[in-house]
Amino acid sequence: MKGYVQDIEAIAIQNEDFRQVLYTAKNCQLVVMALKPNEEIGAEVHKLDQFFRVEQGTGEAVLDGVRTPLQAGYAVIVPAGAKHNIINTGTEPLKLYTLYAPPNHRDGVVHHTRADAEADTEHFDGKTSE
């Protein structure tokens, strides 16, 4: 079967890794993330669009300096060029998934911690999941 069909809410909630790329298509990429209390993805700017969906926990989205509280069920769309960050402001892990359009990371990459992610210079290399 082409494509990806899974219970993304359950996968996101069960995920313990800072970042795990689940599926990469030609024009978008599905990634789950888990942020520990007081952890953040880190302020960044992409030349691509990004979507976040919070499945568990509480946090804060920062888009071009505007801070908005987040909780389970919230979605965030970050247009290309916007400086953004997602911060876990709660006392339990913040579980979410994100879609990059186009892909941003190497297919299948797993970063167990934020330090692992920061130490890795990987970027999307054009290879998709199929």
Side-chain angles (χ1 to χ4, degrees), residues 24 31 54 64 70 108 114:
T24 304
V31 176
V54 176
D64 285 336
L70 299 174
R114 181 173 176 204

Side-chain angles (χ1 to χ4, degrees), residues 2 16 19-20 32 49 53 60 65 72 100 102-103 111 117 125:
K2 283 193 168 233
E16 298 294 329
R19 177 185 297 127
Q20 180 181 11
V32 289
D49 296 324
R53 160 80 184 195
E60 185 175 71
Y100 293 93
H111 294 126
D125 58 7

Side-chain angles (χ1 to χ4, degrees), residues 58-62 66-71 85-89 94:
T58 56
E60 185 175 71
V62 184
V66 177
R67 296 175 175 272
T68 305
L70 299 174
Q71 63 186 15
N85 196 359
I86 303 292
I87 304 165
N88 182 346
T89 59
L94 181 64

Side-chain angles (χ1 to χ4, degrees), residues 44-111:
E44 57 188 2
V45 177
H46 298 300
K47 294 179 182 179
L48 49 80
D49 296 324
Q50 189 170 10
F51 166 89
F52 292 95
R53 160 80 184 195
V54 176
E55 294 298 338
Q56 183 178 322
T58 56
E60 185 175 71
V62 184
L63 289 119
D64 285 336
V66 177
R67 296 175 175 272
T68 305
L70 299 174
Q71 63 186 15
Y74 273 57
V76 178
I77 296 179
V78 181
K83 185 175 182 181
H84 63 282
N85 196 359
I86 303 292
I87 304 165
N88 182 346
T89 59
T91 58
E92 62 182 67
L94 181 64
K95 306 289 185 93
L96 55 91
Y97 66 88
T98 183
L99 292 166
Y100 293 93
N104 190 54
H105 298 286
R106 193 175 63 247
D107 187 51
V109 74
V110 176
H111 294 126

Side-chain angles (χ1 to χ4, degrees), residues 4-12:
Y4 183 89
V5 181
Q6 298 290 326
D7 181 348
I8 191 60
E9 181 179 0
I11 292 168

